[in-house]
């Protein structure tokens, strides 16, 4: 089948839309040309497609807005080379209500963390990118760092976010303003601005902080931390490494 490249995934729904019948697919499988990757998907015989191939199939064939985000997107963008990380699974984001196909769940449920958070609009700060030869949806750096901060303190330490943001001297202030304007998480906005003010990259001066809704009242991020009056939060020292 010319539609299949090495390590790619082709969904049965997509093949059906191109006119392939169940009988023809059964014949290809019986002849040893293709394998059933899972219920509703196929790959070349003997191959084990990676996550990027699966995300590409979801995006291009099934039109599902599922993307690589957070720390995983930052890694693909080149911001984690000098930052230690204990992450062993990829972080993917899907719009609320998106149903992942059975083949994806059976193959990748143990190797990915799925998030359906809605603190940012789904269409802002997301672009298509080539990762290991596969076209996938990927959070832009400006969005990805906010997605990472959203996980503080549950699964991410703020000092890790600080180390990563320290490397992000060329963020786009226009996109940051748009994201922060629409961000519904007061915690994310306060923590991001706390780190950004401390690092004082050139783009920080271009942020329209007065237009961001930073809420009211104190936010306790770390019990036993110190009070930061600038952003009304209780937090442990974030420069500790």
């Amino acid at each position: 089948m010319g539609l299949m490249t090495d390590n790619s995934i082709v969904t049965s729904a997509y093949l059906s839309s191109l006119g392939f019948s169940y009988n023809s697919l059964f014949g290809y499988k019986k002849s040893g040309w293709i394998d059933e990757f899972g219920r509703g998907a196929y790959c070349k015989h003997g191959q084990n497609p990676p996550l990027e191939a699966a995300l590409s199939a979801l995006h291009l064939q099934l039109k599902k807005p599922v993307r690589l985000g957070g720390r995983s997107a930052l890694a693909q963008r080149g911001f984690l080379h000098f930052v230690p990380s204990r992450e062993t699974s990829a972080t993917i984001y899907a719009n609320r209500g998106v149903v992942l196909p059975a083949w994806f769940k059976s193959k990748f449920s143990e190797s990915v963390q799925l998030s359906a958070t809605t603190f940012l609009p789904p269409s802002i700060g997301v672009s298509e990118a080539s990762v290991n030869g596969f076209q996938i949806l990927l959070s832009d750096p400006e969005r990805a760092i906010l997605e990472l901060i959203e996980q503080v303190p549950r699964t991410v330490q703020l000092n890790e976010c600080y180390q990563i943001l320290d490397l992000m001297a060329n963020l786009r202030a226009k996109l940051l303003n748009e994201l922060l304007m629409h961000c519904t998480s007061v915690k994310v906005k306060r923590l991001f601005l706390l780190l950004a003010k401390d690092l004082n990259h050139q783009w920080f001066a271009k942020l329209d902080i007065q237009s961001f809704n930073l809420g009211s009242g104190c936010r306790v991020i770390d019990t036993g931390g110190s009070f930061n009056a600038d952003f009304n939060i209780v937090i442990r020292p974030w420069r500790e490494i």
Side-chain angles (χ1 to χ4, degrees):
M1 290 178 65
L3 287 170
M4 289 187 184
T5 57
D6 284 345
N7 291 314
S8 67
I9 297 169
V10 181
T11 65
S12 56
Y14 182 65
L15 290 169
S16 178
S17 72
L18 296 176
F20 287 86
S21 66
Y22 173 81
N23 287 337
S24 63
L25 294 174
F26 181 78
Y28 287 127
K29 182 180 176 182
K30 188 175 180 180
S31 300
W33 295 351
I34 64 174
D35 290 337
E36 193 170 11
F37 187 68
R39 192 175 69 189
Y42 298 89
C43 64
K44 279 188 175 182
H45 176 66
Q47 295 190 344
N48 186 29
L51 175 63
E52 293 84 7
L55 293 175
S56 182
L58 292 176
H59 166 46
L60 296 177
Q61 299 174 35
L62 301 182
K63 309 303 179 185
K64 290 183 179 291
V66 180
R67 70 185 184 281
L68 205 60
R71 187 190 278 109
S72 297
L74 292 168
Q76 291 297 333
R77 301 290 191 182
F79 291 107
L80 297 192
H81 291 314
F82 306 105
V83 180
S85 174
R86 297 186 298 273
E87 185 180 61
T88 58
S89 58
T91 308
I92 64 172
Y93 287 77
N95 297 353
R96 186 162 292 179
V98 170
V99 178
L100 296 176
W103 59 265
F104 186 92
K105 293 178 182 177
S106 66
K107 294 291 185 177
F108 298 103
S109 60
E110 295 184 1
S111 59
V112 302
Q113 293 181 344
L114 173 64
S115 175
T117 56
T118 59
F119 73 98
L120 291 171
S123 60
I124 302 177
V126 177
S127 58
E128 189 178 86
S130 178
V131 176
N132 297 326
F134 295 99
Q135 292 298 118
I136 70 170
L137 292 177
L138 191 66
S139 292
D140 292 333
E142 294 83 357
R143 183 186 183 105
I145 188 63
L146 297 179
E147 291 171 338
L148 187 66
I149 289 173
E150 193 275 332
Q151 298 176 44
V152 176
R154 300 189 310 276
T155 58
V156 173
Q157 297 299 312
L158 190 60
N159 67 309
E160 180 184 0
C161 300
Y162 182 77
Q163 293 175 65
I164 295 171
L165 194 60
D166 189 21
L167 303 174
M168 306 178 82
N170 296 315
L171 294 183
R172 294 164 290 182
K174 182 178 179 180
L175 179 54
L176 281 172
N177 277 319
E178 186 177 10
L179 286 164
L180 292 168
M181 184 81 72
H182 290 88
C183 179
T184 59
S185 171
V186 169
K187 179 194 80 172
V188 169
K189 288 181 283 192
R190 291 190 191 182
L191 288 179
F192 175 78
L193 292 172
L194 171 77
L195 302 184
K197 180 179 180 180
D198 190 75
L199 290 166
N200 198 29
H201 289 308
Q202 285 189 341
W203 47 259
F204 178 72
K206 300 176 183 178
L207 297 182
D208 187 12
I209 298 177
Q210 300 303 316
S211 67
F212 307 149
N213 180 5
L214 299 180
S216 60
C218 180
R219 294 294 194 276
V220 178
I221 308 300
D222 296 308
T223 303
S226 301
F227 178 69
N228 179 278
D230 288 340
F231 296 101
N232 204 11
I233 54 178
V234 174
I235 191 78
R236 292 196 191 101
W238 59 89
R239 302 180 192 86
E240 294 179 355
I241 300 176

